[in-house]
Amino acid sequence: MSRKVSARARWRYWFDNTMSRGTTGLIGWLAVASAGLILVLTTAIELVRPSKDRGNPVLLLWKTFITTFSLAAPETGRWPELALWFVLALGGIFIVSALVGLLTSGVNRRLEQLRKGRSQVVERDHTVVLGWSDQIYTVITELVEANASRRRAAVVILADQDKVAMEDRVQHRIGSTGRTRLVFRTGSPLDLKDLEMVNLNEARSIIVLAPDGGTAEDADAYVLKTLLAINKGPAFRGRPHHVVASVRDSRNRDVAKLAGGDAIVLDGDDIGARLIVQTARQSKLSVVYHDLFDFGGDEIYMTAEPTLVGKQFGQALLAYRECCPMGLRLADGKTVLNPPPGTVISPGDQLVLLARDDSMIKLAARPLTVDPSAILHAVRGPAAPESTLILGWNRRASRIIEQLDIYVAAGSTVDVVTDRTDAATAVNRLGPKLRRLLIRSKSGDTRDRGVLETLDVLAYHNVIVLADDDLDALTADSRVLVTLLHLRDLLAGRGPGIVSEMRDDRDRALAQLTKADDFVVSEQLVSLLMTQISENRDLESVFDDLFDADGAEIYIRPASYYLRPGVSVTFSTVVEAAWRRGEVAIGYRVADPGDSHGVVLNPDKEQVMPAIDRVIVLSSS
């Protein structure tokens, strides 16, 4: 039920927001008050003066303004009278000074209270972010992008931080937020009274962020308590809330769901591990995921198309020119990406589409042409065993190895090199559980060039460099950069693809100078996912299918599997070629990308493609 807010409360909220701007707001209100005083008194004097004494109203307004700010006294008269006027002027000065002092101290106290960020928020249909971490900058940036088409949008941040400090940090990192207003409040998301400040019951969505630092157990405990406060708090109980959160330890996800009721809880470590494994085996896959997850490029939409009901899903693939169907959201709410051939679109089903904007979702004006002579159905050979080198260790390493065991062929190997003392114990525990991988560990500092020279890095198919989560982000990323610099110098442009995990997205620019193939910032990608789901709850089922090892996944495969060499075709031909293999094509990679990554998602199906070397597809194997 919507809470009724009085006009007085709304005016007070608006006044508080203007006053909390500090000196600028105070000067503005003093100017308004002065102008009002002068106008009212000028009008009153003009009304009470005899008609014969009335003159130019503008001149009277000027005299009133001068009198208001100058304490004017007569220039002529008898000395006793002038002495009294002098005493009066001095008294007036003291009285006005005292009044100004009292007003100033009162206003300053009020400003101090406002700048502490403890006043009530009366926004509606806003997004609430609870907690503070480095993820906040990604979340706010994406929400600003998502709100670009909204006329009024607000993001309210409640964290146990100083309000002014939060404002300064966001202003420094993000800058202008366009149409989106940011409202900061100081308070603990674990405190029920503080939660009431941000008007959760009328929020469009709520995002819960775990604090930086500390252990995964401490971070998950913070998330669990916040979810419990939202779901079970007396002021919020029984109200529907669209809450999105993530945990770091997979074991805590189920209990977090119990605490949060219908909250969506992501498994951050599991998602990060899957992304690292998939990216390590397919160069530039991180670029594809980043484009899918952010609001800056192509986005995932769901739409019903009555004209396609009763037709097979394969026919829908070439029904759109400027968007790519990816799968179906069935009437029961389940999402199936890359559905099996022969799947018929039923009433109530929605198409899952990749499009630049929802305004681009419209059927092609005419049938799209396909060049059957250019299509090649090459047969992939059996998967060969792979060798993977993992440099470094963190809490996700065990999950990464378990995921790698799912994808590789039998007889594959993984070598772990780290100076972490807990890694050997974890490796020994993992060994008997692995079905296809043979795992070995070696103690060594990955920043030591001598250690790296003994590893024969050229013999590996994949190299993964992990950031140590026992260290702060700056130190951990610095160690990764040192390792990458040594590796690139040793390999001299040859050898396996290198995937590095970073803690801070700002370090990616430096990492690119090392010419590593891919960079995965796990927390940033999880932040993007949380923001996407906060805007559209139905996307949870899409991402569940995308990250499920048994569902459809994104692959970047050689173009020679689909097209004859040297042909010039449109993307519609690639879509048809992929569908004949039971896959859904959603993009390609340019053969000569230059300095860029060369990845193109959702191209126009009627435009002739440049020379490509890879096709990006959704496939179940």
Side-chain angles (χ1 to χ4, degrees):
M1 184 177 67
S2 177
R3 178 170 63 92
K4 186 176 180 181
V5 180
S6 66
R8 181 177 181 275
R10 290 187 177 279
W11 184 90
R12 177 70 175 273
Y13 176 65
W14 174 77
F15 176 76
D16 287 352
N17 281 336
T18 58
M19 290 290 284
S20 66
R21 295 173 185 171
T23 304
T24 303
L26 177 59
I27 291 175
W29 277 112
L30 286 176
V32 170
S34 300
L37 176 65
I38 293 170
L39 289 173
V40 170
L41 290 180
T42 300
T43 304
I45 291 172
E46 184 69 13
L47 291 175
V48 301
R49 293 175 68 184
S51 57
K52 63 185 180 70
D53 294 335
R54 293 178 184 174
N56 189 340
V58 177
L59 182 59
L60 178 60
L61 182 64
W62 171 251
K63 290 180 178 178
T64 309
F65 175 78
I66 294 298
T67 303
T68 303
F69 294 102
S70 67
L71 294 176
E75 297 180 0
T76 60
R78 294 180 302 171
W79 284 109
E81 184 180 355
L82 293 176
L84 291 173
W85 276 110
F86 178 73
V87 173
L88 178 61
L90 288 177
I93 290 174
F94 285 112
I95 292 173
V96 171
S97 299
L99 179 60
V100 169
L102 290 173
L103 290 175
T104 302
S105 61
V107 170
N108 285 337
R109 284 195 301 270
R110 180 58 180 162
L111 284 174
E112 186 62 28
Q113 291 176 353
L114 291 174
R115 295 185 74 80
K116 288 180 179 178
R118 299 293 298 173
S119 59
Q120 187 76 22
V121 172
V122 299
E123 302 286 351
R124 292 184 178 181
D125 196 35
H126 55 296
T127 301
V128 176
V129 181
L130 301 177
W132 185 271
S133 71
D134 280 344
Q135 292 178 288
I136 192 75
Y137 306 111
T138 300
V139 170
I140 292 177
T141 300
E142 292 303 308
L143 289 174
V144 168
E145 187 74 31
N147 291 331
S149 59
R150 291 192 175 99
R151 193 172 65 88
R152 285 179 54 85
V155 177
V156 179
I157 298 97
L158 175 68
D160 199 5
Q161 301 275 330
D162 180 74
K163 176 179 180 290
V164 178
M166 290 190 287
E167 291 173 340
D168 290 344
R169 291 174 193 169
V170 171
Q171 175 64 29
H172 175 71
R173 287 282 294 270
I174 298 176
S176 173
T177 57
R179 296 182 177 183
T180 302
R181 290 177 296 106
L182 301 182
V183 181
F184 295 88
R185 291 293 181 264
T186 297
S188 172
L190 307 181
D191 190 306
L192 297 179
K193 285 294 182 182
D194 289 349
L195 283 178
E196 292 182 19
M197 279 196 302
V198 294
N199 196 16
L200 293 182
N201 291 330
E202 296 182 84
R204 181 170 71 250
S205 60
I206 303 167
I207 299 175
V208 180
L209 301 180
D212 288 326
T215 64
E217 184 178 358
D218 291 339
D220 289 352
Y222 180 92
V223 171
L224 189 149
K225 291 177 181 178
T226 303
L227 292 175
L228 196 62
I230 297 171
N231 189 41
K232 302 296 184 181
F236 319 115
R237 189 180 301 153
R239 298 181 184 272
H241 297 101
H242 176 26
V243 185
V244 186
S246 78
V247 294
R248 297 182 185 176
D249 190 330
S250 302
R251 295 172 297 180
N252 295 327
R253 188 184 184 194
D254 289 339
V255 69
K257 283 189 169 185
L258 291 175
D262 59 352
I264 297 172
V265 182
L266 304 180
D267 186 342
D269 277 357
D270 183 67
I271 293 172
R274 291 177 187 271
L275 289 174
I276 290 171
V277 169
Q278 293 181 29
T279 302
R281 304 181 70 247
Q282 302 182 80
S283 178
K284 303 306 177 187
L285 187 59
S286 66
V287 177
V288 178
Y289 277 121
H290 196 280
D291 197 358
L292 283 177
F293 296 164
D294 70 9
F295 286 100
D298 295 280
E299 300 173 37
I300 299 174
Y301 296 91
M302 299 181 188
T303 185
E305 182 50 63
T307 60
L308 294 177
V309 172
K311 297 182 179 181
Q312 293 187 1
F313 175 76
Q315 295 175 272
L317 294 175
L318 294 176
Y320 298 88
R321 174 183 170 182
E322 296 180 300
C323 51
C324 289
M326 301 171 62
L328 294 172
R329 185 174 189 270
L330 307 179
D332 60 3
K334 181 182 178 182
T335 296
V336 181
L337 300 180
N338 184 33
T343 300
V344 176
I345 302 174
S346 304
D349 291 349
Q350 291 181 303
L351 286 170
V352 180
L353 299 165
L354 182 63
R356 184 157 298 277
D357 188 72
D358 54 2
S359 62
M360 312 289 284
I361 302 176
K362 48 190 175 184
L363 296 173
R366 57 182 181 274
L368 302 179
T369 58
V370 173
D371 183 3
S373 65
I375 296 176
L376 184 66
H377 193 89
V379 178
R380 295 200 308 265
E386 301 176 22
S387 57
T388 302
L389 174 63
I390 296 179
L391 299 174
W393 191 264
N394 58 28
R395 68 173 185 275
R396 287 174 294 280
S398 296
R399 183 62 61 87
I400 290 171
I401 295 170
E402 291 172 348
Q403 287 296 317
L404 192 62
D405 187 53
I406 296 174
Y407 290 98
V408 299
S412 298
T413 61
V414 58
D415 292 316
V416 178
V417 180
T418 179
D419 56 359
R420 286 261 300 250
T421 56
D422 58 334
T425 303
V427 167
N428 292 333
R429 187 173 62 251
L430 272 173
K433 300 179 181 178
L434 302 176
R435 297 177 300 164
R436 302 171 181 173
L437 273 175
L438 171 64
I439 185 171
R440 298 169 295 204
S441 67
K442 176 182 178 180
S443 177
D445 187 347
T446 59
R447 297 168 297 168
D448 188 331
R449 189 183 182 93
V451 171
L452 295 176
E453 288 175 343
T454 64
L455 298 178
D456 190 15
V457 181
L458 279 170
Y460 290 93
H461 294 91
N462 314 303
V463 176
I464 300 173
V465 183
L466 298 180
D468 192 337
D469 50 12
D470 278 354
L471 305 173
D472 61 88
L474 176 63
T475 305
D477 285 355
S478 297
R479 292 190 171 200
V480 170
L481 289 172
V482 170
T483 303
L484 289 175
L485 287 169
H486 283 313
L487 283 175
R488 275 310 172 199
D489 187 51
L490 287 171
L491 297 174
R494 304 168 296 158
I498 301 175
V499 175
S500 60
E501 181 191 33
M502 310 295 290
R503 296 270 300 279
D504 191 333
D505 185 55
R506 291 174 294 178
D507 291 327
R508 291 180 63 183
L510 293 174
Q512 287 172 353
L513 300 177
T514 67
K515 301 187 182 301
D517 295 280
D518 275 295
F519 314 94
V520 174
V521 185
S522 300
E523 290 188 356
Q524 185 207 27
L525 290 171
V526 172
S527 302
L528 294 176
L529 280 173
M530 293 172 66
T531 311
Q532 285 273 355
I533 296 173
S534 75
E535 292 292 304
N536 183 355
R537 188 186 189 100
D538 294 335
L539 288 177
E540 180 195 15
S541 61
V542 176
F543 296 136
D544 280 346
D545 194 333
L546 196 59
F547 291 123
D548 188 349
D550 296 327
E553 298 176 25
I554 298 176
Y555 291 89
I556 303 179
R557 288 179 168 159
S560 58
Y561 286 180
Y562 308 89
L563 301 174
R564 298 186 183 280
V567 297
S568 180
V569 295
T570 61
F571 188 64
S572 57
T573 299
V574 176
V575 171
E576 177 63 25
W579 185 241
R580 291 184 183 184
R581 301 173 66 94
E583 301 170 349
V584 173
I586 61 173
Y588 58 79
R589 193 180 75 177
V590 178
D592 186 14
D595 293 333
S596 64
H597 50 71
V599 170
V600 178
L601 292 182
N602 185 35
D604 188 324
K605 294 187 178 70
E606 287 194 337
Q607 290 186 355
V608 177
M609 298 184 301
I612 66 172
D613 64 356
R614 298 277 171 169
V615 176
I616 304 168
V617 299
L618 281 170
S619 178
S620 299
S621 61

